[in-house]
Amino acid sequence: MNVNRRKFVGAAGGAALIGAASLRPAWAAPQYRYKYANNLPPSHPMNVRANEAAKAIAKDTDGRFELAIFPSSQLGSDTDTLSQLRSGAVEFFTLSGLILSTLVPASSISGIGFAFPNYDAVWKAMDGDLGAYIRKEIEGKGLVVMDKIWDSGFRQVTTSNRPINGPGDFKDLKIRVPVSPLWTSMFKALGAAPASINFNETYSALQTKVVDGQENPLAIIQTAKLYEVQKYCSLTNHMWDGFWFLSNRRAWEKLPKDVQEVVARHINGAAMGVRADVLALNNDLQSQLAKQGLVFNTPEPGPIRDALRQAGFYKEWQGKYGDKAWGLLEQSVGKLS
């Protein structure tokens, strides 16, 4: 199924998106009702596809399993929800590997600045040896993780005061970044002044000029209406970002094997759907966002990558991740440090 822009923008959202109830026989109460939290708006492909998956899971488990979807950080900030996931208060959560790195350091390696030149390189790494390595590290922290990472897209920089044309334009830029050391490190290496702010507080931070810029994929810039509080969008493609679909291990192991298989199959299928959706949407979103008033430019990545290299950014993070993980990354993208 193709998700067109009308569906993308107009998908409904309430306190929770529950796709299972309408397909459950009237006589069958679900044995398992699990909560799935995420930080994206209901109209984002993640929630559109998750809602489809919830309906399919209910159908294929004969109503035994109901997935209740809570978008837009309704159950708390990323850091709060990760704590709830670990305690079992929330059974499922999709989280960027870059933010998950506060618990699983290796998970942020997929977000190394200017590492991936294109999607072919991304999926070669994340569906291959690097992804397998990261999943093993996640499971070592007592979580269960699905096989397929959900695409969030390449990240772009938006600002209210100036476009980014080269590395010098980052100097002293007050920019919102997620709560993750990798982002802070990269933007500091470029001379910016990064501020770690949870996503659900980003719009107000831009509106009140606590920060002058932020960085996110185009789909999130659109759905979160960040164009209302930003003027410029520089297509830096500086980081690729994706969401791991995580489960509390105790909750997962309570499920019978046949239910586990159905849930995993449909969740991984939804991840593949989101990959196609985000790719298609990005081809349309630039023109849509331009109509909303954003002014676009495309800086050359080479000089910015060189500035990071000269600042010691790549060497520093190679040391933090270790030669094994770094080698798996360079297997897909070529030499960085």
Side-chain angles (χ1 to χ4, degrees):
M1 183 204 74
N2 292 321
V3 176
N4 59 30
R5 188 175 178 277
R6 180 179 298 175
K7 184 168 184 178
F8 171 63
V9 172
L17 301 175
I18 305 176
S22 62
L23 290 174
R24 192 172 64 245
W27 47 265
Q31 290 176 265
Y32 309 97
R33 187 178 188 272
Y34 280 17
K35 295 183 291 293
Y36 160 46
N38 64 72
N39 65 7
L40 297 182
S43 57
H44 190 278
M46 172 182 283
N47 282 306
V48 175
R49 292 290 186 173
N51 200 41
E52 293 173 356
K55 293 175 183 177
I57 291 167
K59 181 175 182 290
D60 288 353
T61 60
D62 296 322
R64 286 187 292 158
F65 187 96
E66 182 177 283
L67 184 66
I69 304 169
F70 294 83
S72 301
S73 301
Q74 290 176 7
L75 301 185
S77 68
D78 288 341
T79 45
D80 290 339
T81 309
L82 180 59
S83 294
Q84 293 177 58
L85 180 78
R86 297 183 72 193
S87 71
V90 171
E91 290 84 10
F92 294 121
F93 182 36
T94 34
L95 186 62
S96 162
L98 298 156
I99 300 173
L100 181 60
S101 66
T102 56
L103 175 65
V104 185
S107 66
S108 65
I109 194 169
S110 58
I112 285 290
F114 297 93
F116 293 112
N118 51 47
Y119 269 117
D120 286 344
V122 169
W123 304 134
K124 179 181 178 183
M126 302 313 294
D127 289 338
D129 293 343
L130 182 63
Y133 175 86
I134 295 170
R135 290 195 302 275
K136 186 175 180 182
E137 293 291 304
I138 293 171
E139 289 170 354
K141 295 296 184 179
L143 299 173
V144 172
V145 57
M146 297 295 115
D147 289 343
K148 298 298 182 183
I149 192 168
W150 297 48
D151 186 24
S152 181
F154 282 95
R155 302 179 77 91
Q156 320 298 349
V157 174
T158 67
T159 52
S160 60
N161 52 358
R162 62 178 180 268
I164 303 299
N165 288 303
D169 294 316
F170 285 103
K171 185 170 174 56
D172 298 326
L173 176 69
K174 292 188 295 180
I175 184 168
R176 176 267 173 183
V177 297
V179 184
S180 170
L182 181 61
W183 263 288
T184 303
S185 172
M186 187 186 85
F187 284 104
K188 279 186 176 178
L190 292 169
S196 295
I197 297 172
N198 274 305
F199 181 73
N200 58 331
E201 301 167 1
T202 297
Y203 186 101
S204 61
L206 293 166
Q207 188 176 40
T208 58
K209 304 295 184 183
V210 171
V211 289
D212 295 314
Q214 66 84 50
E215 47 77 62
N216 260 303
L218 292 181
I220 293 178
I221 294 167
Q222 169 78 353
T223 55
K225 299 184 178 181
L226 300 182
Y227 53 80
E228 295 178 346
V229 287
Q230 296 282 265
K231 182 176 180 181
Y232 303 101
C233 183
S234 302
L235 297 172
T236 50
N237 284 333
H238 57 277
M239 284 180 171
W240 174 80
D241 192 17
F243 293 88
W244 290 109
F245 197 101
L246 307 168
S247 177
N248 174 275
R249 180 173 294 281
R250 294 182 301 279
W252 182 254
E253 290 177 349
K254 285 180 184 176
L255 299 176
K257 292 295 183 185
D258 64 319
V259 174
Q260 288 181 357
E261 187 278 329
V262 170
V263 172
R265 173 161 47 85
H266 285 297
I267 292 301
N268 286 322
M272 299 304 289
V274 167
R275 293 183 187 186
D277 296 342
V278 170
L279 185 63
L281 284 165
N282 281 340
N283 294 331
D284 179 56
L285 280 174
Q286 183 176 340
S287 63
Q288 296 298 329
L289 287 164
K291 290 176 184 175
Q292 301 285 357
L294 275 184
V295 178
F296 283 85
N297 71 296
T298 306
E300 176 60 43
I304 306 175
R305 188 184 299 113
D306 290 343
L308 288 174
R309 191 174 288 118
Q310 290 163 14
F313 172 77
Y314 294 120
K315 275 291 183 188
E316 175 191 351
W317 284 91
Q318 180 178 1
K320 289 182 177 181
Y321 291 123
D323 289 341
K324 180 177 180 181
W326 197 262
L328 292 173
L329 174 64
E330 290 190 333
Q331 219 172 258
S332 298
V333 304
K335 191 74 172 170
L336 287 172
S337 56

